[in-house]
Amino acid sequence: MKQLGFVLLALMLTACAGPSGVVPIDDRGRGGSAKSMQPVTSGIHRVQRGETLYQIAFRYGWDWKELARANNMREPYTIYPGQEISLRPPGRGQSRPPTVSSPRPPAVVVATPTPSRTPTTTARPAPAKPAAAPRLPAKVGGWSWPAKGALISRFQSNGSLNKGIDIAGEQGQPVRAAANGAVVYAGRGLLGYGDMIIVKHDETYLSAYAHNSRLLVKEGDQVKSGQTIAEMGSTGTDRVKLHFEIRRKGQPVDPLSYLPKL
């Protein structure tokens, strides 16, 4: 009877497993649901220190201009720690939210010393870094491959988490800008992407370069197509590779439709 019980238990575990005999795991490593690639359209995001509007829009699948418009933001799109960013499009059962949901920190005023008296200043909270306002062309002039190596993962539009392509390579290998643009994010604030760079190319397109070992540019830098902007690595993943995405108005598109044929 004991042997029969063990056999039945083994059969039950196998029935719960996937085709390879391993229990399926819902991979949320890139910070989103595997069921949809549509933008998040409910709830709010509370701004953390150091975040930018581009970073927040990328995280939730929004076009940064639409997110700014939904929150009544204007240039230079400055956001503040503790500010609540609405993820609900205007007109969906509520009025547009105010730009800042919490009291806006006053600007830091630096007094100019004079011979007659010594000025005093009071330390006040500094706002989060405003989004860059880069000089950009009207449209992308062309795309180039961001790295050399074997294509190990392709874009999938069927609800998969793979919103771009993965290119294998070696530690420290150059990662290059795929088109002219400006760096609007450089850091490690997005779960599952490791050390990442986001480049804004025009009013429509962004590109993202993830899992780098070293970032060679900073936010606000202008970059040229083919310029080395990072070194390949394995931050936020299990092997050395470059995860590359192109987003059109906030939505992931297949990079192979834009890159030159190999």
Side-chain angles (χ1 to χ4, degrees):
M1 292 297 293
K2 289 185 177 180
Q3 290 181 346
L4 179 60
F6 286 129
V7 171
L8 291 175
L9 178 60
L11 290 174
M12 291 174 62
L13 291 175
T14 303
C16 294
S20 62
V22 179
V23 178
I25 298 174
D26 183 13
D27 181 7
R28 301 175 185 272
R30 291 205 169 95
S33 170
K35 296 181 179 179
S36 175
M37 293 178 63
Q38 297 301 313
V40 176
T41 56
S42 63
I44 61 170
H45 174 86
R46 190 177 299 277
V47 178
Q48 304 299 312
R49 184 170 299 278
E51 287 186 323
T52 67
L53 184 63
Y54 294 101
Q55 176 189 357
I56 295 169
F58 186 93
R59 176 176 179 179
Y60 294 106
W62 278 70
D63 176 28
W64 65 273
K65 293 180 295 182
E66 292 299 321
L67 186 59
R69 189 175 298 115
N71 287 272
N72 288 338
M73 294 183 184
R74 296 182 177 85
E75 292 185 1
Y77 308 113
T78 306
I79 57 178
Y80 302 89
Q83 179 180 347
E84 292 183 352
I85 303 295
S86 173
L87 303 174
R88 184 187 298 272
R92 293 188 57 180
Q94 66 173 22
S95 59
R96 287 189 176 186
T99 302
V100 181
S101 58
S102 56
R104 175 171 174 165
V108 177
V109 179
V110 180
T112 303
T114 60
S116 58
R117 63 188 181 88
T118 302
T120 58
T121 58
T122 302
R124 294 175 180 173
K129 186 176 180 179
R135 299 182 300 278
L136 297 169
K139 61 180 180 179
V140 179
W143 298 89
S144 62
W145 282 83
K148 295 181 179 179
L151 186 64
I152 57 175
S153 183
R154 292 174 178 264
F155 174 85
Q156 298 178 16
S157 59
N158 59 356
S160 167
L161 283 178
N162 195 356
K163 301 174 184 177
I165 59 175
D166 290 347
I167 302 172
E170 299 179 357
Q171 184 79 15
Q173 180 179 326
V175 172
R176 306 181 189 280
N180 296 344
V183 178
V184 293
Y185 177 74
R188 192 188 282 195
L190 288 170
L191 180 65
Y193 284 89
D195 289 346
M196 183 177 72
I197 292 171
I198 300 176
V199 176
K200 178 184 176 185
H201 301 288
D202 57 20
E203 295 303 310
T204 301
Y205 289 100
L206 298 172
S207 62
Y209 312 75
H211 306 313
N212 304 289
S213 62
R214 183 184 176 200
L215 306 182
L216 304 178
V217 293
K218 62 183 184 300
E219 291 174 18
D221 285 353
Q222 301 282 327
V223 296
K224 297 291 185 181
S225 178
Q227 176 182 337
T228 300
I229 59 175
E231 294 178 356
M232 194 179 294
S234 58
T235 57
T237 188
D238 57 355
R239 62 170 295 176
V240 175
K241 65 181 179 181
L242 171 67
H243 176 75
F244 175 68
E245 294 185 17
I246 295 177
R247 296 205 177 189
R248 184 182 186 276
K249 295 184 177 180
Q251 290 298 292
V253 293
D254 187 357
L256 297 182
S257 299
Y258 294 82
L259 298 173
K261 302 294 183 183
L262 292 175

